[in-house]
Amino acid sequence: MIILGVDTAIRCTGYGIVKAFSPDEFEVLDCGVIETPRKAPHSECLRRLSGGVRELILAFQPDCGAIESVFFQKNIKTAMILSLARGAVIAVLAENNIPVREYAPRKAKKSVVGTGAASKLQVATMVASMTGITLDKLPLDATDALAIAICHGQMASRAEAELFLPPII
């Protein structure tokens, strides 16, 4: 199963594409970030984000997507902007009939590191260890996306997990 994991942001969205062979065996096919210049308007950020996800879908033909779920934001403006980015990614996945699941950041980190409070460096170290990729080839902004993809691979491989994971599209 090929999984596209996405950690959305308006200007720097991390992505990770993994091939899951079993709950404990993963291969990183690609990872990186979709970036937009700081001063670009939100419409340009969303256009580039959607286009980047479309390119990843064409290149890797993922079976499913996994995205970070919404978490509590004190700043409503930040929450709204993050929702725009999530919506852009989910819409592209839906256009391509790719089911997408969402996972809380803490759940994804816990599935990889063993604690939901893990730092990006701890997540990167464990992802590198699990997949054989070297840390210097792992952009820190992509670590959470890889953790989300791996979390989904672990959950999807358990037959009973389907009862608890309704798709968001």
Side-chain angles (χ1 to χ4, degrees):
M1 166 175 39
I2 297 175
I3 306 161
L4 168 60
V6 183
D7 180 17
T8 54
I10 195 74
R11 303 219 181 265
C12 189
T13 291
Y15 69 87
I17 300 172
V18 300
K19 185 169 189 172
F21 299 100
S22 73
D24 301 317
E25 188 181 357
F26 299 91
E27 175 187 354
V28 175
L29 302 178
D30 193 21
C31 65
V33 293
I34 301 168
E35 292 183 284
T36 305
R38 246 181 120 225
K39 295 192 179 205
H42 289 157
S43 58
E44 175 63 9
C45 297
L46 296 171
R47 185 190 70 76
R48 291 177 87 152
L49 179 55
S50 297
V53 172
R54 279 187 193 95
E55 287 178 19
L56 291 169
I57 290 169
L58 282 173
F60 296 97
Q61 299 293 304
D63 300 301
C64 55
I67 191 168
E68 191 172 80
S69 65
V70 178
F71 55 92
F72 177 74
Q73 284 280 338
K74 289 183 181 180
N75 184 329
I76 190 69
K77 185 176 178 183
T78 301
M80 289 175 67
I81 292 169
L82 178 59
S83 293
L84 291 172
R86 282 175 42 83
V89 171
I90 292 168
V92 172
L93 290 166
E95 284 173 359
N96 290 278
N97 297 312
I98 298 171
V100 61
R101 311 273 184 176
E102 60 180 355
Y103 296 93
R106 292 183 67 84
K107 182 172 186 70
K109 290 177 181 184
K110 187 174 183 177
S111 74
V112 173
V113 180
T115 176
S119 69
K120 280 195 185 293
L121 183 57
Q122 288 172 313
V123 173
T125 301
M126 285 306 294
V127 166
S129 173
M130 292 172 79
T131 62
I133 193 170
T134 59
L135 276 176
D136 63 327
K137 298 198 189 255
L138 187 59
L140 275 182
D141 288 326
T143 58
D144 286 348
L146 285 167
I148 292 163
I150 290 170
C151 176
H152 179 68
Q154 291 170 341
M155 296 300 292
S157 66
R158 298 181 183 117
E160 70 274 10
E162 287 300 314
L163 299 173
F164 304 105
L165 295 173
I168 58 174
I169 63 166

